[in-house]
Amino acid sequence: MAQLKSMSACLPSNFGFHGPKRESNLYHDQGKLSFQELGARKSELQGNSFAVLSTNGGVTRAQKQVIRAALPSYSETEVAGSTKERGLRGKLNKVVLAYSGGLDTSVIVPWLRENYGCEVVCFTADVGQGIKELDGLEQKAKASGACQLVVKDLKEEFVKDFIFPCLRAGAIYERKYLLGTSMARPVIAKAMVDVAKAVGADAVAHGCTGKGNDQVRFELTFFALDPKLNVVAPWREWDITGREDAIEYAKKHNVPVPVTKKSIYSRDGNLWHLSHEGDILEDPENEPKKDMFMLTADPEDAPNEPEYVDIGIISGIPVSVNGQELSPASLLTKLNEIGGRHGIGRIDMVENRLVGMKSRGVYETPGGTILFAAARELESLTLDRETMQVKDSLALKYAELVYAGRWFDPLRESMDSFMEKISETTTGSVTLKLYKGSITVTSRTSPYSLYRQDISSFESGDVYDQADAAGFIRLYGLPMRVRAMLKEGI
């Protein structure tokens, strides 16, 4: 039996998550969740048997030592099965698996070992899906046959480098979708590539089904960042067709079946949003049930008094809430709490998936909805008409690229440079009134405002002479006048 390699080969930094929508268990039957709970207990996590680190870049020698101590190696007596032999489908050395600890990814571990004769490094990322999703992962990974567990805290990177650029660009897919899952997949896949390089893996694997968008988002990121990596997608290869098959396979390979109450909905959550699909939602005629929502209060039951919130923005990027400067993840967490209380950010839509089919989803994005409203209102002061029109037209393509998993496409990166430049003067503050699911702007101010009261006033002024309008109208309307003259034979 081959001696499994040491955990010290793993060099994890931050902390993130992937679990395909169909198996996410975080929000199942837990009642309303506070976003404070999602970000809490970091210090408690650091005492657990897996590492929670925030490196924001390379891994230092000291951090490597911490990782070695925090991520123990599983000996050959702890993980059964040789990894020297060729598997049923071929031979890989080491595979980094996007791991959630649910049924599907727990089964994928022995399936990879059996079919590719490889060691499996389980990777879990924290993008704000909640602490309960992360508890006990080391034990689950070990029981499934993994040789290592790597965890990363990606919350700050997720908000700063993925969410905020989309916000600045005004990227909304098909008029409604604020791209919650679309933005999360590339940051997770990027971290997987980093881990694969650190541990010497020659392949990566995910648990996405062959019908969804996520398989594309993961794999395009893999292609862009390391085209040499092999990609394994078990749901496109194996004979397992459903939950019962997966349970049977788990029992056959002595993998403990995760004991969770199966939700009637398929959910995916992160710090930006929570999505709901499946069950009665598959019929667009059905109204969602009240007890389905988990992050936002029912607008009918929200407080009877409105709440005012002030958002500070610098160059298109949010920096403060009610005058308090916060880190990107902390700022979003705070707005999620505020917006959730008032039933803000519920979206019910039928969208066109990248793979061709339509799907119906319900999304809760309380903090994100507040931020989009604030950004739009501030731009009404700082952008001129032509700039705003061009920005809005490019925002559609930007959203389409993100939705389609093309985050690392040079086109999106070039468009992002344009958005950054055009937003240089989008600085100021916006006050919004939140009341029973609605958002109303009450104040907007900017040192770069193009609005001039002395010009816009109905009172006479020195800059704008109303008599000048007559000549402008004659020239502006000349094409219409010429066309009418042609019809009249003039």
Side-chain angles (χ1 to χ4, degrees):
M1 181 178 296
Q3 176 69 33
L4 297 181
K5 293 186 178 180
S6 169
M7 282 289 227
S8 62
C10 253
L11 305 179
S13 51
N14 302 335
F15 176 94
F17 162 80
H18 162 63
K21 284 188 177 182
R22 64 186 304 277
E23 71 167 39
S24 177
N25 296 314
L26 166 63
Y27 298 101
H28 297 176
D29 310 296
Q30 293 179 12
K32 298 292 186 296
L33 296 180
S34 165
F35 269 85
Q36 289 178 324
E37 294 176 341
L38 304 190
R41 288 177 54 195
K42 180 174 181 180
S43 59
E44 190 174 328
L45 273 175
Q46 290 173 327
N48 286 351
S49 54
F50 50 86
V52 182
L53 304 173
S54 295
T55 62
N56 296 322
V59 181
T60 66
R61 181 182 301 274
Q63 288 165 341
K64 291 179 183 179
Q65 293 172 347
V66 171
I67 293 165
R68 292 190 182 104
L71 298 176
S73 176
Y74 306 148
S75 69
E76 62 177 291
T77 58
E78 293 175 302
V79 180
S82 173
T83 57
K84 286 186 176 181
E85 302 299 327
R86 176 184 174 88
L88 299 177
R89 297 172 183 264
K91 175 61 182 172
L92 294 170
N93 175 43
K94 185 180 290 186
V95 179
V96 175
L97 168 65
Y99 181 75
S100 70
L103 175 61
D104 289 359
T105 52
S106 295
V107 167
I108 288 175
V109 175
W111 185 89
L112 287 171
R113 290 167 57 82
E114 178 182 29
N115 285 272
Y116 290 98
C118 59
E119 294 181 352
V120 179
V121 176
C122 287
F123 171 77
T124 302
D126 178 10
V127 287
Q129 72 272 24
I131 200 64
K132 292 183 180 179
E133 190 77 19
L134 306 172
D135 282 342
L137 280 180
E138 183 191 350
Q139 291 76 16
K140 292 179 182 179
K142 176 180 175 181
S144 297
C147 71
Q148 300 174 227
L149 172 68
V150 178
V151 290
K152 286 191 171 188
D153 186 341
L154 300 177
K155 293 191 293 294
E156 292 291 349
E157 180 184 359
F158 177 41
V159 181
K160 176 179 177 289
D161 295 337
F162 291 79
I163 290 177
F164 280 180
C166 285
L167 172 67
R168 180 177 59 198
I172 300 176
Y173 182 71
E174 294 190 341
R175 306 168 185 166
K176 288 185 175 182
Y177 180 43
L178 300 185
L179 300 169
T181 302
S182 309
M183 296 183 293
R185 295 315 182 222
V187 70
I188 297 168
K190 173 180 175 290
M192 289 179 66
V193 172
D194 293 340
V195 171
K197 291 178 180 178
V199 303
D202 56 342
V204 287
H206 60 75
C208 307
T209 69
K211 279 190 172 183
N213 298 314
D214 282 347
Q215 58 182 335
V216 181
R217 294 163 180 159
F218 271 96
E219 294 181 32
L220 290 192
T221 301
F222 298 149
F223 296 162
L225 300 183
D226 192 345
K228 301 184 298 298
L229 281 174
N230 295 289
V231 179
V232 183
W235 273 101
R236 302 200 301 255
E237 297 185 29
W238 62 15
D239 298 324
I240 295 174
T241 59
R243 184 176 177 84
E244 295 306 317
D245 288 347
I247 292 175
E248 185 63 29
Y249 186 91
K251 291 180 178 178
K252 179 180 176 182
H253 291 79
N254 299 315
V255 175
V257 177
V259 181
T260 57
K261 185 175 180 181
K262 182 172 175 58
S263 171
I264 60 175
Y265 301 107
S266 174
R267 291 183 168 109
D268 178 77
N270 57 52
L271 197 54
W272 184 247
H273 85 161
L274 173 62
S275 66
H276 312 264
E277 294 180 350
D279 196 56
I280 65 168
L281 298 180
E282 293 184 349
D283 184 348
E285 291 187 8
N286 291 332
E287 179 182 5
K289 295 180 179 179
K290 283 191 173 185
D291 62 1
M292 180 191 74
F293 296 93
M294 314 209 68
L295 302 184
T296 55
D298 189 320
E300 296 177 359
D301 301 326
N304 293 323
E305 294 296 324
E307 181 171 353
Y308 292 81
V309 58
D310 183 84
I311 310 297
I313 297 174
I314 296 178
S315 298
I317 301 299
V319 295
S320 67
V321 176
N322 295 329
Q324 180 185 9
E325 292 188 7
L326 298 166
S327 72
S330 298
L331 184 146
L332 181 55
T333 298
K334 186 174 185 66
L335 288 178
N336 281 329
E337 296 166 1
I338 295 172
R341 282 199 301 269
H342 295 275
I344 303 297
R346 293 185 174 189
I347 295 295
D348 185 337
M349 68 179 292
V350 175
E351 67 192 68
N352 290 293
R353 282 186 178 175
L354 180 62
V355 293
M357 69 185 74
K358 286 185 179 290
S359 65
R360 192 257 188 112
V362 177
Y363 302 95
E364 297 179 81
T365 318
T369 302
I370 293 172
L371 288 175
F372 262 90
R376 281 197 305 268
E377 292 301 330
L378 188 57
E379 286 179 346
S380 71
L381 292 179
T382 62
L383 299 184
D384 62 74
R385 179 179 58 197
E386 297 296 329
T387 301
M388 187 178 294
Q389 289 176 355
V390 172
K391 182 177 184 295
D392 287 348
S393 65
L394 290 178
L396 296 175
K397 185 61 179 179
Y398 192 108
E400 180 183 333
L401 290 170
V402 175
Y403 186 84
R406 307 187 76 92
W407 184 268
F408 294 99
D409 190 303
L411 176 57
R412 189 212 64 85
E413 294 172 339
S414 299
M415 293 173 68
D416 199 53
S417 296
F418 169 82
M419 297 298 181
E420 182 178 8
K421 178 64 178 178
I422 218 69
S423 300
E424 284 180 343
T425 59
T426 304
T427 294
S429 64
V430 177
T431 302
L432 303 170
K433 180 169 70 173
L434 313 180
Y435 181 68
K436 292 188 176 295
S438 68
I439 300 178
T440 306
V441 60
T442 62
S443 174
R444 41 179 105 61
T445 181
S446 170
Y448 303 104
S449 175
L450 300 177
Y451 178 87
R452 289 282 300 268
Q453 186 174 350
D454 58 338
I455 296 176
S456 301
S457 173
F458 285 105
E459 301 297 328
S460 297
D462 296 331
V463 177
Y464 188 94
D465 187 344
Q466 296 189 40
D468 293 340
F472 166 76
I473 294 171
R474 282 195 296 270
L475 293 177
Y476 185 70
L478 184 59
M480 300 178 68
R481 189 176 184 184
V482 171
R483 186 175 291 108
M485 292 171 64
L486 178 63
K487 289 182 179 179
E488 295 292 330
I490 300 175

